[in-house]
Amino acid sequence: MCGIQGITARRSFRWKIVQWVVAALAYLDYRGYDSCGVAALVNGKWVWLKRVGDSAVLKSALSKTRWLSCLVLGHTRWATQGMVTDRNAHPHFSGHVAVVHNGNLTNADRLRTWLKGMGYVFLSETDTEAIAHLVHYYYQKIGNLRRAVQLAIKDLEGDYAILLASAMEPQVLVAARNNPPLLIGLGDGFNIVSSDARGIIALTRNIIYLVEGDVAEVTPEEVLIFNQRGRRVNRKIYVSLESLGALNKGRYSHFMQKEIHQQPQALRNTIQPVLQRGFSPTLFGKRARKIFGRLDSILIIACGTSYNAGCVMKRRIESVAEVPVRVEIATQYHPILSASPHELVVVISQSGETHDTKEAIKRARAAGHKYVLAICNVPESSIPRASSLIFYTQAGMEVGVASTKAFTAQLAALIILAYTIAKVKKRLSRTDETSALESLRKLPLAARRTLALEPEVQAWARCIVRRRSALFLGMGSFYPVAQEGALKLKEISYIHAEALAAGELKHGSLALVNKRFPVVVSAPSEEFLRDTVLGMKEVNARGGKLYVITDKASNLVASKNIRVIYLPKHDPLHAAVLQTILMQVLSYWAAVMLKRNVDKPRNLAKSVTVS
Ligand code: AGP
């Protein structure tokens, strides 16, 4: 996933456009920050700067430069093909043609061989450079950039969102989309093409979302959009409600720290509609009542942290709504059997742009699934716009690559889903409904009280950072809580971590345990405490260090190799959320103590829009 940004503007803007593009890249860094670059057409010639690092590197390198230009391309890269080097950073060029790309071409090698045979010289290892030469090849034949792009994309295989410009057409941007998102911002005297509304809303809120297969020809005065068949089409203009307010850390040292502490508010905002309207199916969409009433099973599909959210709430949904729930990793979901006619697909995605989840939705529909419910945190993103039902978590923009507030908001959303389905199916007594609503109302405060335990968790982090590996144990719904805890630790501190169902320990992984080995245990009194304690004893018998998150009702106590943190008094419905919050805090402080790039961990990106 990469960030694409381009502006074409009237001459009166020529002083500002380069700065506008570079400033926008800072909002797109979350999409990939291995390297970045900017190219501007100045006096009919391309000038450019490309650097390893995030857009701040570019901004400082350009601070002494004044390019007067009306046509500028910018890019932030997450490497897919080609090492992380200045040379492989975008934009890429072929004569008068410049291109930036988000995606992953599967036929790049074949194109490269053919283009080399046509006399083109490659300067980079990227698939993107092949696009530049291919468009240049067709431009030489046809003399028009948009039509050259329409011809070139017929030769491309794989995912691409591309933005091109030519020195021969100094006011034209041409964008083409096949899977990763591309948006057009409609300004007054300028127009923008970007991967994300965040790259646009500082300058205009009027946004067009290109659809799969669209090609757009953009000048300062006009936007022409052509569909897959090459026919002119009009696309709806949205007024974006996104806000950039989230893009400052305030009193926190990192976005992740801020977002961990925003969780009480994120939960409150997500739960608020239910407290006002009860478990109303209209919260999920107009057709939710009919779909929920007929469903006889649920298939949850997601990736990473969002997948863990589905796993955490699987049992809760089954016990409350009394329907079977299966949870699939998006890339693993390749159905063999046709879909059950009344199985509801629930996709969970913070960004709403995850390529693997989007592809899994296509496979679900091909298997016969009619309805898809999207639980998503980014309004207007691709996945909710392609779904039958939508529930937006109200966590607010999440900037830290490691998901925190969005995850616990997803848990709340799944709790709401469980009770709403139960209510529609008349499986929820009024008493249980009242009790569930009261419990949800108290959740934000319970989260705030849990965050007050941060200093105790910080002390744990000081011990764990000295180790190269850690084990996370949990049982039942708290095994995926342990999985999420392990994922958080490894993705921001780079300490290897794995999760295990506590009962599984003796079947092999116990061999890892010795007196220096840290084991973090999610041990709520609510679920399978006995089996969890047996696993703890096996660790303790071998001198392993235990870090146990539990509650007073478990009667677990600290001892020589066992450290214990007791969650504040809470409802059973809260336990998974509160346990997770402390695991997030543990990972955060481990990463800080190891001086990691907490908000932009190496090799990762916030939104994985490529396969
Ligand atoms: C979150 O901490 C992870 N960085 C990652 O696993 C993420 O959850 C996954 O890529 C799915 O993203 P999505 O929720 O935006 O679809």
Side-chain angles (χ1 to χ4, degrees):
M1 53 321 296
C2 303
I4 287 176
Q5 187 75 12
I7 297 183
T8 173
R10 280 193 206 129
R11 192 172 150 67
S12 54
F13 289 94
R14 62 191 183 287
W15 296 85
K16 298 178 181 174
I17 303 304
V18 173
Q19 281 66 32
W20 282 0
V21 168
V22 174
L25 292 183
Y27 294 134
L28 301 178
D29 270 336
Y30 77 94
R31 305 177 62 84
Y33 34 84
D34 293 331
S35 63
C36 56
V38 64
L41 193 64
V42 176
N43 303 326
K45 295 234 179 307
W46 287 114
V47 292
W48 69 87
L49 192 64
K50 309 201 278 189
R51 286 282 189 283
V52 170
D54 69 10
S55 63
V57 169
L58 209 56
K59 187 174 178 188
S60 94
L62 280 170
S63 56
K64 301 173 196 60
T65 317
R66 208 30 146 191
W67 292 340
L68 304 191
S69 175
C70 297
L71 190 65
V72 182
L73 299 180
H75 187 267
T76 61
R77 184 176 184 235
W78 182 79
T80 48
Q81 297 186 36
M83 300 287 285
V84 177
T85 62
D86 289 358
R87 182 186 288 256
N88 286 336
H90 301 203
H92 289 284
F93 300 88
S94 180
H96 57 85
V97 174
V99 63
V100 289
H101 167 220
N102 175 22
N104 206 345
L105 296 187
T106 51
N107 66 331
D109 294 341
R110 220 168 338 117
L111 286 173
R112 179 182 281 260
T113 306
W114 180 73
L115 288 159
K116 280 182 175 173
M118 304 301 286
Y120 285 96
V121 176
F122 280 73
L123 303 177
S124 79
E125 306 156 332
T126 67
D127 52 347
T128 306
E129 190 180 354
I131 300 173
H133 295 317
L134 191 61
V135 171
H136 182 274
Y137 168 78
Y138 282 113
Y139 194 100
Q140 298 307 90
K141 290 181 176 314
I142 204 162
N144 174 281
L145 185 61
R146 188 254 302 164
R147 300 220 313 275
V149 171
Q150 285 172 314
L151 288 171
I153 58 178
K154 293 183 192 313
D155 299 337
L156 302 184
E157 292 169 17
D159 299 323
Y160 56 84
I162 51 178
L163 179 60
L164 294 102
S166 162
M168 312 289 274
E169 301 179 22
Q171 290 211 311
V172 178
L173 289 173
V174 176
R177 177 193 174 187
N178 182 44
N179 214 331
L182 266 184
L183 298 68
I184 297 173
L186 305 173
D188 180 5
F190 61 88
N191 285 317
I192 304 166
V193 179
S194 183
S195 307
D196 187 310
R198 298 179 195 183
I200 295 175
I201 57 176
L203 297 169
T204 173
R205 286 190 173 278
N206 299 318
I207 291 180
I208 292 172
Y209 291 83
L210 294 186
V211 164
E212 306 271 0
D214 279 357
V215 172
E217 182 176 331
V218 183
T219 65
E221 315 305 338
E222 191 177 40
V223 175
L224 304 178
I225 299 175
F226 302 83
N227 66 14
Q228 214 144 15
R229 289 189 297 281
R231 291 217 190 94
R232 271 293 306 277
V233 290
N234 290 314
R235 296 290 179 214
K236 183 180 173 191
I237 298 173
Y238 290 80
V239 177
S240 176
L241 304 174
E242 278 261 29
S243 139
L244 295 172
L247 289 174
N248 64 65
K249 293 175 217 159
R251 61 190 169 86
Y252 296 99
S253 307
H254 301 96
F255 284 111
M256 182 181 179
Q257 185 187 29
K258 175 184 172 190
E259 289 153 9
I260 286 173
H261 286 269
Q262 283 181 324
Q263 290 184 100
Q265 189 57 52
L267 288 165
R268 184 172 299 108
N269 295 344
T270 301
I271 293 164
Q272 193 55 33
V274 172
L275 300 182
Q276 285 163 346
R277 298 159 55 182
F279 294 114
S280 161
T282 55
L283 291 170
F284 294 86
K286 287 199 289 287
R287 292 184 290 172
R289 179 179 298 282
K290 190 174 82 174
I291 294 168
F292 288 177
R294 290 195 320 198
L295 73 82
D296 54 18
S297 63
I298 290 174
L299 165 59
I300 296 176
I301 302 175
C303 300
T305 284
S306 296
Y307 167 75
N308 290 337
C311 294
V312 169
M313 283 300 158
K314 164 187 158 68
R315 294 170 59 83
R316 171 68 61 177
I317 299 169
E318 288 181 333
S319 66
V320 169
E322 297 170 30
V323 292
V325 176
R326 57 196 177 105
V327 192
E328 292 267 8
I329 293 171
T331 46
Q332 287 283 94
Y333 173 69
H334 292 269
I336 292 168
L337 305 174
S338 304
S340 138
H342 299 303
E343 182 168 66
L344 173 66
V345 172
V346 177
V347 291
I348 306 172
S349 177
Q350 188 285 131
S351 64
E353 296 297 350
T354 301
H355 173 276
D356 293 339
T357 307
K358 288 158 77 171
E359 290 302 296
I361 293 172
K362 291 177 188 171
R363 292 194 289 270
R365 291 197 193 283
H369 281 103
K370 278 179 69 178
Y371 302 113
V372 174
L373 161 62
I375 294 179
C376 183
N377 194 48
V378 178
E380 308 157 14
S381 55
S382 303
I383 289 176
R385 283 192 290 116
S387 300
S388 339
L389 303 175
I390 304 172
F391 184 94
Y392 283 119
T393 49
Q394 304 296 330
M397 191 186 288
E398 189 174 67
V399 180
V401 167
S403 187
T404 50
K405 62 177 182 175
F407 175 74
T408 47
Q410 288 167 351
L411 298 185
L414 290 165
I415 291 170
I416 292 165
L417 175 65
Y419 283 95
T420 305
I421 293 172
K423 185 170 184 181
V424 167
K425 288 178 167 297
K426 303 194 184 340
R427 296 170 181 169
L428 185 65
S429 69
R430 185 166 294 283
T431 315
D432 287 347
E433 177 175 11
T434 307
S435 153
L437 286 170
E438 183 54 18
S439 179
L440 282 171
R441 193 185 57 73
K442 291 188 289 187
L443 179 54
L445 179 59
R448 184 166 305 289
R449 286 184 177 143
T450 301
L451 285 165
L453 297 167
E454 183 165 19
E456 293 181 55
V457 178
Q458 241 176 314
W460 286 13
R462 273 188 213 97
C463 305
I464 286 178
V465 293
R466 295 200 298 264
R467 304 300 173 215
R468 293 167 52 85
S469 286
L471 199 56
F472 285 71
L473 296 185
M475 282 295 291
S477 305
F478 296 83
Y479 168 38
V481 167
Q483 284 177 305
E484 176 59 15
L487 176 60
K488 283 286 145 314
L489 185 66
K490 56 189 163 186
E491 71 174 323
I492 61 170
S493 74
Y494 316 153
I495 294 172
H496 172 256
E498 63 179 277
L500 211 58
E504 267 298 280
L505 192 57
K506 55 189 174 293
H507 298 292
S509 303
L510 191 57
L512 289 172
V513 173
N514 61 27
K515 61 179 184 307
R516 289 181 305 284
F517 198 84
V519 180
V520 180
V521 187
S522 172
S525 57
E526 289 90 348
E527 247 188 73
F528 303 111
L529 184 63
R530 176 187 166 281
D531 291 335
T532 305
V533 170
L534 287 175
M536 286 167 52
K537 287 180 184 301
E538 289 154 14
V539 171
N540 198 27
R542 287 150 184 87
K545 295 281 182 289
L546 284 156
Y547 300 83
V548 185
I549 305 173
T550 186
D551 49 73
K552 291 281 173 51
S554 69
N555 298 320
L556 293 175
V557 292
S559 64
K560 181 165 171 287
N561 283 329
I562 303 179
R563 296 180 174 213
V564 176
I565 291 179
Y566 298 104
L567 291 173
K569 191 169 169 13
H570 60 271
D571 285 18
L573 203 56
H574 301 168
V577 171
L578 307 184
Q579 288 265 349
T580 302
I581 288 174
L582 290 190
M583 290 187 185
Q584 294 167 352
V585 171
L586 176 65
S587 305
Y588 171 75
W589 283 109
V592 169
M593 291 169 190
L594 291 170
K595 299 187 177 15
R596 305 300 191 210
N597 186 337
V598 173
D599 289 326
K600 296 178 183 172
R602 70 185 179 198
N603 308 340
L604 299 184
K606 184 65 183 170
S607 173
V608 187
T609 61
V610 292
S611 47

